[in-house]
């Protein structure tokens, strides 16, 4: 930010210098780091918040869970997942925008805040749409929000291009800046224009507007998917535009700011880990008068009623915390995030968001009931998928490992086996627990609790376990080469020089 | 983290290298940046969450606000403020700890997660304590949590000192590492030992244990305050220990990680800005059957009932967002944060946490009622103090400006006047609105709404306003020197070379 300031302000008066800094605008240029961190925090909170209406649905004990779950699945869970998707689409657009605009000033900061205000309002308009699908008001409000967000983004781009020192260095150096500007504006304005059509159609024929909205969200991905499949099937012939910027392409390998993926994920993990304590703090402090009357002033007896909820809290905090830990370990080894990895990350986070709900369900039903068994199984399924999509990120990264991974975790690298063990621990444990609860359905809760307690310790001794497993593997498959350690050196040697270059 | 790895692993097999990296432990060493960001997010959520029980208190319309407010003040608001204080004390201890331990490995990450789990449970034990002040259970639980947190911290320190490459470079180089270790452990273990006493006394004589707890929290600050006042009164004689590390001193100018202050503040601002949308998403989507029955399928009519709540949401989002904006501008110019600035920041954030509640109150009462007037006035008071403590941070920074501020915002620097205007806008506006509502009590809500709408625009044109004000000042006080711009050059020149050094 400093390098932009010209030295011509020397020997001007204080008042003059304030005025001149207003004219050239350089001194107010700022790094956008903290603005983006704050935006990520806001968006991650909003994305996960729609799990609350689902979590606060009260189940009657005599009712079978299956029916409640079906009622949930049809409306609230669908709303939660769709909101999560829409908010992350808005977040992806925000990342694209601020990969183009790398420095900010006060005007951009204020415009961004206005944009954030409308993004945080999206979940509400969306839940209106879901509750009243045949009413035009929901869709009109939603479209209005999206259109204003698009206009603000266009305004930010125009402002950025009229103050070129705010732009990404690559674009700043680019010779066809005007072309870049037009292309970016076209991509950005596509969404508000489609929404304008959708809102016009909503008055005439509401189904059409829903189709338009679906197209708005999914079309770039579908078209890219088709293009990618076609290029793979026909072979080669990748259209490369070396002079244009790598943003706004919707290509699966389009770079995604790794820092922002991390801070968005941190926000989701943090709010999900604390969701249950919010409820506990609000609801689980008994009324003094009740304790006096019903429990004869015995606070411990009164609190024992809430026992399972504390267990649910610690269980969900530990699981979310450890999933964060795995994510953290994974991203330590990632050097560059791509859009496809971002997509898997979003899926993983969407499942993580459902975890507190699942844990709460586990402890809400009477012991040994059919409901409880199903709640335990749902928890296992959620943990399984949350972990599986983390693994998918790792596999995606391995496909382009030369670009996306640190050398020492690449296939055959030093930390490869350990990372794999970390990533596969939760999916394996969840799958195992699921199978056990199917077989030994009477002990399902005990098995689940054992898993909750056991997994953190498994992580603590994981390094040891991996070492033992590797020794066992070596002993099983190549017992003859037990003293011939130098055999796989060729494979290793091709990797190691790169480490030295990087470090 | 890379510089620690020794190159002696060349030409070892994959299996061997995994085993050897286990032995030396270097390759698993990680930067602690993201762990700390995640911890900050968790702690900031927990700190602000206790406003929810306050916000969800329902007021009867026929009841006078004054009585409700008094009932609130005595319990819930006190619990909120005390919890905020205690959690920030735990946060400060966490900062101290990870200023000593600068790199982490998997074991430390897992220990930190366990520590976080207990910190997030603190508000609950505290609210038990507040609801049942005469029951030992609350205080026992609280002390147990604090003791376990202390033990984990001690464990982290011991682990850090037994793996010296994890430590702060200054301590790593220090010759009396054993002394540093003992001193740090003494400071850390002081709190759990006091809590042990408190929990023993709680069984015998409960008042004593509350006094002990108060001493635990406030004593370091009080003793430092007294020491500082004494040193100022007597003059000089500052005890300096050049060989010891600058951490764990409780001195007001003890360095505080600027990055962590920022990310903690971001967390609080983000969760506070979205608190109202949580409520709106959960409560303000009307039931389709109700809309059909009562409003004749007219959704707009049904939603009009919630009108004031949307206004409250946008109002509070804008105010919190702009206060964040001011905070952001301030910390752009701060080079080093001190413990005293951190304290003012905490106070400011505690008031910010109360904002959504105040805005909700403003729109909950019938128009023109006495309650509404008081709610508006309370909002003004909260905004005033939130802004005032931000201003206090700036003033504190100016006292030691050579160390804590960028040269170009120091007194007389280029951006000084503009920064001052930004910081004083909210306190001035809040004070003005408060005075106006006292004088023109009939129009209080209109005045308040005008403020809500006007302030964001005021920020947009603030640079222009400051410029006009400076020109006016110059014209008023030194009209003769209007054409003599070079007079205050001496003052400016002494500053400008520093800019060049920095940039």
């Amino acid at each position: 930010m400093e390098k932009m300031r010209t030295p011509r302000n020397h020997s001007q008066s204080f008042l003059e210098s304030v005025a001149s800094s207003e004219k050239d605008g350089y001194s107010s240029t700022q790094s956008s780091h903290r603005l983006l961190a704050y935006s990520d925090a806001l968006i991650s909170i909003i994305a996960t918040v729609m799990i609350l209406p689902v979590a606060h649905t009260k189940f009657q004990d005599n009712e079978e869970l299956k029916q409640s779950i079906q009622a949930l699945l049809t409306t609230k869970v669908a709303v939660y997942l769709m909101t999560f998707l829409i908010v992350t689409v808005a977040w992806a657009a925000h990342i694209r925008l601020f990969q183009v605009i790398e420095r900010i000033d006060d005007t951009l900061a204020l415009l961004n805040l206005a944009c954030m205000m409308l993004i945080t309002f999206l979940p509400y308009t969306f839940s209106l749409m879901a509750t009243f699908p045949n009413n035009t008001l929901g869709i009109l409000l939603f479209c209005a929000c999206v259109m204003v967000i698009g206009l603000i983004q266009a305004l930010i781009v125009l402002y950025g291009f009229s103050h070129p020192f705010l732009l990404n260095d690559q674009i700043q150096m680019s010779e066809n800046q005007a072309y870049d500007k037009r292309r970016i504006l076209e991509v950005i304005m596509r969404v508000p224009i489609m929404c304008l059509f959708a809102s016009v159609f909503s008055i005439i024929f509401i189904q059409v507007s829903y189709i338009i909205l679906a197209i708005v969200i999914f079309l770039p991905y579908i078209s890219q998917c088709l293009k990618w499949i076609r290029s793979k099937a026909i072979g080669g012939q990748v259209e490369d535009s070396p002079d244009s910027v790598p943003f706004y392409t919707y290509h699966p390998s389009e770079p995604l700011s790794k820092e922002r993926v991390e801070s968005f994920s941190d926000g989701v993990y943090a709010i999900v880990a604390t969701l249950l304590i919010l409820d506990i703090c609000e609801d689980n402090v008994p009324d003094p008068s009740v304790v006096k009357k019903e429990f004869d002033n015995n606070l411990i007896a009164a609190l024992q009623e809430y026992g399972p909820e504390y267990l649910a809290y610690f269980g969900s905090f530990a699981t979310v915390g450890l999933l964060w830990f795995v994510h953290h370990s994974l991203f330590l080894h990632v050097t560059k995030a791509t859009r496809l990895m971002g997509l898997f990350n979003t899926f993983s986070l969407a499942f993580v968001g459902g975890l507190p709900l699942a844990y709460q369900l586990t402890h809400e039903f009477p012991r040994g009931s059919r409901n409880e068994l199903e709640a335990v199984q749902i928890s296992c399924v959620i943990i399984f998928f949350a972990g599986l999509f983390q693994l998918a990120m790792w596999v995606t990264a391995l496909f382009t490992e030369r670009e996306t991974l640190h050398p020492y975790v690449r296939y055959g690298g030093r930390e490869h086996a350990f990372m794999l063990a970390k990533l596969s621990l939760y999916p394996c444990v969840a799958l195992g627990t699921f199978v056990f609860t199917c077989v030994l359905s009477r002990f399902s809760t005990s098995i689940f609790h054992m898993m909750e307690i056991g997994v953190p310790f498994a992580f603590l001794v994981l390094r040891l376990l991996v070492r033992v497993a590797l020794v066992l593997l070596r002993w099983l498959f190549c017992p003859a080469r037990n003293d011939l350690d130098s055999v796989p050196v060729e494979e290793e040697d091709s990797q190691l020089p790169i480490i030295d270059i990087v470090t």
Side-chain angles (χ1 to χ4, degrees), chain A:
Chain A
M1 94 196 222
E2 303 298 342
K3 66 176 178 183
M4 294 301 167
R5 190 129 30 84
T6 48
R8 67 186 155 87
N9 284 331
H10 278 239
S11 71
Q12 281 180 325
S13 79
F14 169 37
L15 299 169
E16 275 276 307
S17 71
V18 169
S20 74
S21 78
E22 158 66 19
K23 258 179 281 164
D24 58 24
Y26 290 150
S27 67
S28 57
T29 314
Q30 306 146 5
S31 149
S32 62
H33 171 74
R34 198 179 156 194
L35 180 86
L36 300 181
Y38 182 62
S39 307
D40 288 339
L42 281 177
I43 296 177
S44 59
I45 292 172
I46 286 304
T48 31
V49 122
M50 290 306 290
I51 198 69
L52 274 184
V54 190
H56 287 176
T57 312
K58 284 290 157 222
F59 298 99
Q60 265 75 52
D61 269 352
N62 54 354
E63 195 183 358
E64 274 295 299
L65 181 59
K66 221 162 200 169
Q67 286 177 5
S68 330
I69 286 291
Q70 274 175 357
L72 274 176
L73 274 181
T74 43
T75 57
K76 287 187 173 177
V77 170
V79 169
Y80 162 68
L81 287 176
M82 285 301 294
T83 316
F84 200 94
L85 192 76
I86 286 171
V87 171
T88 47
V89 166
W91 174 68
H94 193 264
I95 292 185
R96 280 205 188 88
L97 184 65
F98 281 93
Q99 277 176 339
V100 171
I101 313 271
E102 283 197 342
R103 279 163 285 271
I104 58 161
D105 63 3
D106 284 357
T107 315
L108 283 187
L110 290 172
L111 281 175
N112 182 61
L113 279 181
C115 191
M116 281 300 123
M117 188 192 268
L118 288 162
I119 289 180
T120 54
F121 201 64
L122 277 184
Y124 178 69
T125 64
F126 191 77
S127 59
L128 265 189
M129 235 161 80
T131 323
F132 301 94
N134 294 318
N135 199 309
T136 53
L137 185 69
I139 205 163
L140 280 179
L141 267 180
F142 182 81
C143 289
C145 273
V146 174
M147 283 192 298
V148 178
I149 292 170
L151 288 177
I152 293 176
Q153 287 193 341
L155 209 62
I156 290 176
V157 169
L158 286 175
Y159 186 88
F161 274 90
S162 69
H163 300 70
F165 51 90
L166 298 173
L167 292 175
N168 176 290
D169 292 333
Q170 209 175 336
I171 300 179
Q172 224 174 106
M173 303 297 163
S174 161
E175 285 179 8
N176 38 10
Q177 229 180 61
Y179 167 77
D180 286 340
K181 177 178 160 186
R182 218 187 49 235
R183 202 174 56 83
I184 290 171
L185 277 180
E186 269 172 21
V187 176
I188 287 177
M189 290 312 290
R190 212 190 284 159
V191 176
I193 289 169
M194 296 280 269
C195 279
L196 187 66
F197 279 114
S199 55
V200 169
F201 273 107
S202 73
I203 298 162
I204 309 164
F205 196 59
I206 201 158
Q207 276 76 5
V208 177
S209 51
Y210 283 116
I211 294 168
I212 296 176
L213 285 185
I215 290 173
V216 170
I217 294 169
F218 294 108
L219 195 66
Y221 297 98
I222 295 168
S223 74
Q224 271 302 326
C225 228
L226 289 177
K227 213 181 272 176
W228 184 75
I229 289 167
R230 205 180 51 198
S231 80
K232 283 280 158 185
I234 303 172
Q237 206 235 334
V238 184
E239 30 161 351
D240 47 356
S241 43
D243 57 341
S244 90
V245 283
F247 313 119
Y248 286 97
T249 61
Y250 293 95
H251 197 272
S253 66
E254 186 185 338
L256 197 69
S257 163
K258 185 197 157 201
E259 203 178 315
R260 294 201 62 186
V261 174
E262 285 182 359
S263 69
F264 178 72
S265 309
D266 281 352
V268 172
Y269 282 111
I271 192 99
V272 167
T274 43
L275 267 184
L276 285 186
I277 202 73
L278 305 193
D279 285 344
I280 286 181
C281 280
E282 203 166 339
D283 304 331
N284 289 17
V285 179
D287 199 22
S289 59
V290 174
V291 174
K292 205 167 192 176
K293 233 189 289 171
E294 291 179 22
F295 295 96
D296 197 24
N297 257 340
N298 186 347
L299 187 57
I300 299 175
L303 290 182
Q304 263 167 0
E305 280 200 356
Y306 304 124
E309 291 178 41
Y310 304 132
L311 202 62
Y313 169 64
F314 285 115
S316 94
F317 192 101
T319 313
V320 173
L322 290 172
L323 283 170
W324 173 83
F325 172 71
V326 173
H327 191 273
H328 166 77
S329 304
L330 177 61
F331 271 76
L332 271 180
H333 299 319
V334 167
T335 50
K336 183 193 133 192
T338 64
R339 209 147 279 277
L340 191 61
M341 285 167 71
L343 199 66
F344 286 131
N345 190 40
T346 304
F347 289 151
S348 172
L349 291 179
F351 278 101
V352 168
L355 256 183
L357 167 68
Y359 269 78
Q360 202 167 21
L361 283 183
T362 312
H363 302 275
E364 203 154 76
F365 298 107
R367 279 259 164 153
S369 70
R370 205 179 143 60
N371 284 340
E372 200 195 37
L373 174 65
E374 283 181 0
V376 167
Q377 288 179 343
I378 291 171
S379 301
C380 290
V381 170
I382 290 181
I383 296 173
F384 176 74
F385 279 107
L388 195 72
F389 281 115
Q390 287 187 335
L391 196 62
M393 268 195 281
W394 165 249
V395 173
T396 316
L398 278 178
F399 268 114
T400 53
E401 56 176 11
R402 300 241 152 223
E403 285 170 36
T404 49
L405 286 182
H406 272 298
Y408 57 97
V409 282
R410 290 190 192 154
Y411 182 71
R414 296 202 346 205
E415 292 280 306
H416 182 85
F418 184 49
M419 193 66 237
L420 195 68
K422 260 187 194 170
L423 281 164
S424 49
L425 183 60
Y426 255 119
C428 291
V429 167
L431 200 65
T433 314
F434 187 83
V435 171
F436 268 118
T437 53
C438 290
V439 180
L440 305 161
S441 55
R442 278 187 57 196
F443 306 100
S444 62
T445 349
S446 323
I447 295 168
F448 192 71
H449 289 330
M450 271 169 58
M451 183 198 87
E452 280 181 35
I453 298 164
V455 171
F457 293 99
F459 271 102
L460 264 177
V461 293
L462 197 60
R463 221 164 242 282
L464 202 70
L465 289 179
V466 171
R467 205 172 147 194
V468 170
L470 285 175
V471 169
L472 276 179
L473 278 177
R474 188 161 59 169
W475 183 73
L476 278 174
F477 292 105
C478 38
R481 299 196 307 207
N482 221 352
D483 47 348
L484 252 139
D485 278 333
S486 52
V487 170
V489 161
E490 292 87 81
E491 188 201 337
E492 188 70 4
D493 255 350
S494 66
Q495 301 279 353
L496 275 170
I498 304 166
I499 299 182
D500 293 322
I501 293 163
V502 170
T503 57

